[in-house]
């Protein structure tokens, strides 16, 4: 995923390093040592903020990545992200979403449609992640398309 983030250097300019750092760290909340709530975007962002004193924008990107607001709702935690973390810049969140939604778990590059399908295949239809991804799919796809257009315009 960091490789996909790096591919956006030409359109992000001075924010390229921030995006790459967020790509490396976006799933840090899955670490068993950090998993306090079981909601990895929140657990990761809290760790980065509270333990590592990380940059606020980096923490926000981790907190909000890849449809996290919808997953928070599915977990019965509406508003939790907004109460703790400012919403990141839209262009950076779209870039992080692009990086995540075009990279498979093994690092292969995928279309956003294939990536969403791959996620849905891992979870039963009644699982909250399946429901969250289903609800988030239009927004996630739109973010990928926006970044693809930015890349095309930069060529």
């Amino acid at each position: 995923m960091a490789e996909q983030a790096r591919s956006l250097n030409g359109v992000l300019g001075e924010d390229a390093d921030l995006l790459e750092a967020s790509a490396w760290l976006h799933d840090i909340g899955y670490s068993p040592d950090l998993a306090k709530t079981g909601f990895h975007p929140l657990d990761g962002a809290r760790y980065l903020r509270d333990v590592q004193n990380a940059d606020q924008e980096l923490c926000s990107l981790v907190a909000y990545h890849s449809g996290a607001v919808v997953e928070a709702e599915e977990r019965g935690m509406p508003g939790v992200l907004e109460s703790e973390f400012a919403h990141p810049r839209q262009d950076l969140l779209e870039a992080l979403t692009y990086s995540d939604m075009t990279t498979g778990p093994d690092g292969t590059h995928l279309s956003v449609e294939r990536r969403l399908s791959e996620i849905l295949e891992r979870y039963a239809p009644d699982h909250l992640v399946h429901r969250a991804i289903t609800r988030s799919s239009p927004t996630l796809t739109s973010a990928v398309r926006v970044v693809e257009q930015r890349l095309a315009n930069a060529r």
Side-chain angles (χ1 to χ4, degrees):
M1 188 173 145
E3 181 182 324
Q4 280 292 74
R6 218 171 303 118
S7 76
L8 302 176
N9 285 356
V11 295
L12 289 176
E14 65 185 35
D15 294 316
D17 289 342
L18 174 59
L19 178 66
E20 187 172 344
S22 67
W24 279 107
L25 295 169
H26 78 286
D27 280 345
I28 194 170
Y30 278 125
S31 169
D33 292 339
L34 307 182
K36 306 296 185 218
T37 68
F39 180 38
H40 82 276
L42 180 62
D43 292 335
R46 283 177 173 170
Y47 168 77
L48 291 169
R49 178 192 65 200
D50 300 341
V51 177
Q52 297 299 320
N53 298 310
D55 175 82
Q56 203 172 42
E57 192 76 14
L58 174 64
C59 296
S60 291
L61 284 164
V62 170
Y64 284 88
H65 81 272
S66 302
V69 170
V70 174
E71 185 172 335
E73 292 169 1
E74 290 290 337
R75 290 181 175 277
M77 304 168 75
V80 68
L81 297 177
E82 292 89 350
S83 70
E84 290 194 42
F85 298 94
H87 202 280
R89 279 187 16 215
Q90 188 66 26
D91 62 325
L92 292 176
L93 186 57
E94 289 166 343
L96 184 58
T97 298
Y98 168 86
S99 300
D100 194 9
M101 292 296 118
T102 59
T103 305
D106 62 356
T108 58
H109 299 292
L110 305 170
S111 69
V112 62
E113 294 81 10
R114 181 63 198 118
R115 175 71 166 128
L116 292 168
S117 177
E118 177 274 318
I119 295 168
L120 293 173
E121 290 168 8
R122 283 190 276 139
Y123 296 94
D126 61 340
H127 193 281
L128 67 94
V129 171
H130 193 285
R131 292 191 310 267
I133 290 296
T134 299
R135 288 179 52 207
S136 298
S137 287
T139 303
L140 298 171
T141 301
S142 176
V144 169
R145 297 293 179 245
V146 165
V147 174
E148 288 172 341
Q149 188 60 53
R150 282 189 202 127
L151 286 168
N153 291 342
R155 289 185 189 134

